[in-house]
Amino acid sequence: MRFPTGELAPGLVYDHIHKQLVLDGNSQQNLATFCTTWMEPEVERLMAESADKNMIDKDEYPQTAAIEEQCVHMLADLWNSPEAATTIGCSTTGSSEAAMLGGLALKWNWRKRRQAAGRPTNRPNLIVGPVQVCWHKFCRYFDVEIREVPMQGERLLLTAEEVVSRCDENTIGVVVTLGVTFTLQYEPVAAIAAALDRLQAETGLDVPIHVDGASGGFLAPFLQPEVVWDFRLPRVKSINASGHKFGLAPLGVGWALWRERHDLPQELIFDVNYLGGNMPTFALNFSRPGGEIICQYYNFLRLGREGYARIQRECAELGRYLAGEIGKLGVFRIVYDGEGGIPGLCWQLAEPGKSPFTLYQVADALRERGWLVPAYSMPAEREDLVIQRILVRHGFTRAMAEELLRELRAVLAEFAKNPPQVAAVPDSGAIHDHSGR
Ligand SMILES: *Cc1c(COP(=O)(O)O)cnc(C)c1O
């Protein structure tokens, strides 16, 4: 493909690209993604109105900067920060960037403690469970040993025991995920915090927790207010969440918050003066669009706690409904039934060894009918376990759920009549990983 030589009329080019995009998948039938695919018209208008706003340019767009700051304080309040008004935090392009920033703060704080004690600082490690790929990236990009607690048998999450047994003086922190991408379940933040409190009392090791609340940060406060996972736990020093997942904002916004000012090392903050004012910045990107943040603010004002709770409850209910119906089909075993974690469900084959079809084949057949319902294998040491997952997001309706069930029953009936060819890809091995989207 050559770089074009001449000019074309705008309308012509628009039509050309518009037609090209029509052939993309239909986002309403994409049950794989965690991200926002439905927006109110007001959000679309605000996005269009703020297309020229650059988040970094706080001097030129002080109102946008103030909106970002207000979102940080509202989130600090939502996540029970001891001092919501002075909590420090920032917007990011998503949870991945927020995870890099959270991880860097853990590493810097650990290094400062080690230097002060005259101890070596060359072998930092981070303890994680079945994390999203961003934490593997963080560890590789920033030279931190990843101590990944493998899944074991029926245990698909991090536990307090497994965490504590891996902690040492080089542990910069523990990442606990509120809403694991593979299974949608919450990891037990409070139990892990309590175990780390005991570890500190016994050994002096003080290991901080970062909560990856990419999804859960915008779910637990509304769906499971009784779950204590946030800044109510003094050991939780930082939290990230994706505004563009259950925060319901358009694509391109995440959040990173630190419990108290000293939890974010000052050395990581740069002061830049070349945009007209003196601006502190803590981010991997420089220029970045402001519209998503403005729309996040719109959602906070528009929905409030009650609106978010209503929407998330409706999604959770549909997830439980689908789990009930899909469980009844007889050939699947429900792994997560939509209760207590992210709205949605996941299942495995009831008898993987005897099934005439694989979940990959179910996924392919549904795909041919327009539905994206991914099948993927689990991470270390349950690579043998293949799961299929549905995420229920805002915009998914009961009628769509019924349509999907009809299609799934049709696929199974077809498989019963004409069993598919012997699977080229049996339900084992890390071939497809669609889990992290
Ligand atoms: C989606 C997700 C991420 C990455 O977030 P982005 O906003 O897509 O960058 C990180 N952690 C978890 C648990 C996730 O679900």
Side-chain angles (χ1 to χ4, degrees):
M1 192 78 181
R2 292 286 183 82
F3 195 89
T5 310
E7 294 188 48
L8 291 172
L12 201 71
V13 180
Y14 174 85
D15 280 346
H16 172 73
I17 298 177
H18 182 80
K19 283 181 191 136
Q20 213 173 329
L21 293 179
V22 166
L23 298 177
D24 265 342
N26 169 10
S27 65
Q28 296 301 304
Q29 288 178 297
N30 178 357
L31 305 184
T33 186
F34 290 74
C35 293
T36 306
T37 49
W38 188 89
M39 278 165 262
E40 289 183 324
E42 286 77 6
V43 168
E44 289 174 8
R45 259 171 45 210
L46 282 171
M47 283 298 279
E49 284 167 26
S50 38
D52 59 346
K53 291 192 196 292
N54 188 349
M55 210 52 237
I56 194 70
D57 208 345
K58 300 188 187 199
D59 202 49
E60 172 70 4
Y61 306 114
Q63 296 302 324
T64 304
I67 282 175
E68 181 199 30
E69 194 61 26
Q70 285 182 39
C71 287
V72 167
H73 295 313
M74 288 185 197
L75 284 174
D77 177 45
L78 188 68
W79 296 340
N80 297 295
S81 167
E83 293 181 76
T86 58
T87 295
I88 190 158
C90 57
S91 66
T92 60
T93 49
S95 276
S96 299
E97 186 188 7
M100 303 301 143
L101 302 181
L104 284 169
L106 289 176
K107 187 176 174 186
W108 252 249
N109 281 335
W110 165 81
R111 191 158 55 198
K112 278 201 284 193
R113 287 197 303 274
R114 298 285 289 169
Q115 279 164 345
R119 308 284 296 157
T121 58
N122 56 343
R123 302 196 56 197
N125 70 68
L126 181 71
I127 299 174
V128 305
V131 274
Q132 210 263 358
V133 66
C134 68
W135 292 103
H136 292 274
K137 285 187 187 172
F138 165 74
C139 287
R140 197 175 300 171
Y141 296 171
F142 297 103
D143 238 339
V144 172
E145 176 200 341
I146 189 157
R147 291 201 175 157
E148 187 182 1
V149 177
M151 292 180 167
Q152 192 179 40
E154 296 286 299
R155 181 182 60 68
L156 305 179
L157 300 170
L158 212 50
T159 62
E161 266 173 21
E162 299 292 334
V163 166
V164 167
S165 70
R166 284 169 180 78
C167 288
D168 62 26
E169 57 181 12
N170 289 317
T171 302
I172 66 172
V174 178
V175 174
V176 187
T177 306
L178 206 68
V180 170
T181 49
F182 299 99
T183 58
L184 309 182
Q185 295 158 320
Y186 293 168
E187 291 186 324
V189 189
I192 292 170
L196 291 172
D197 289 346
R198 286 193 295 278
L199 180 75
Q200 183 175 9
E202 285 159 16
T203 67
L205 280 183
D206 184 4
V207 180
I209 289 178
H210 173 96
V211 176
D212 180 349
S215 296
F218 282 108
L219 290 167
F222 311 115
L223 284 179
Q224 300 98 359
E226 71 288 354
V227 175
V228 178
W229 64 277
D230 54 17
F231 292 127
R232 279 169 285 181
L233 299 167
R235 196 166 287 281
V236 172
K237 302 299 183 194
S238 46
I239 298 173
N240 70 270
S242 295
H244 56 214
K245 291 185 176 174
F246 290 88
L248 307 177
L251 269 175
V253 57
W255 299 96
L257 265 70
W258 286 266
R259 181 183 180 78
E260 287 171 89
R261 221 147 257 278
H262 63 255
D263 293 316
L264 175 58
Q266 290 304 301
E267 299 89 316
L268 291 175
I269 300 174
F270 284 81
D271 269 311
V272 298
N273 60 9
Y274 33 72
L275 287 177
N278 217 21
M279 293 299 155
T281 138
F282 182 37
L284 299 182
N285 300 79
F286 191 67
S287 299
R288 136 178 106 77
E292 298 83 325
I293 292 142
I294 291 167
C295 292
Q296 181 80 86
Y297 182 65
Y298 167 87
N299 281 332
F300 289 176
L301 298 186
R302 151 91 176 88
L303 296 170
R305 287 177 190 260
E306 289 170 8
Y308 270 100
R310 174 183 57 79
I311 289 169
Q312 319 292 35
R313 264 201 308 269
E314 284 168 7
C315 291
E317 213 165 285
L318 268 180
R320 288 190 295 267
Y321 171 72
L322 280 173
E325 294 301 305
I326 289 174
K328 279 186 221 159
L329 297 173
V331 290
F332 303 126
R333 179 177 158 256
I334 302 294
V335 174
Y336 168 65
D337 64 1
E339 193 65 59
I342 298 177
L345 63 146
C346 63
W347 63 87
Q348 62 179 103
L349 285 170
E351 294 182 288
K354 296 189 196 144
S355 172
F357 56 85
T358 66
L359 290 181
Y360 295 122
Q361 289 168 327
V362 175
D364 287 345
L366 285 173
R367 176 115 215 200
E368 281 167 23
R369 293 156 191 254
W371 293 95
L372 198 54
V373 184
Y376 50 88
S377 60
M378 292 294 102
E381 295 178 357
R382 283 305 316 268
E383 293 96 336
D384 61 301
L385 174 60
V386 174
I387 275 183
Q388 192 160 20
R389 183 193 69 198
I390 286 177
L391 257 135
V392 179
R393 301 185 314 280
H394 190 28
F396 187 73
T397 61
R398 174 70 184 249
M400 291 164 79
E402 298 299 349
E403 179 59 26
L404 173 71
L405 285 169
R406 252 194 307 279
E407 296 289 11
L408 182 56
R409 288 188 196 107
V411 165
L412 294 180
E414 176 63 27
F415 282 176
K417 218 163 43 183
N418 300 311
Q421 293 296 305
V422 177
V425 183
D427 276 7
S428 72
I431 313 288
H432 308 270
D433 181 2
H434 296 316
S435 62
R437 294 185 301 193

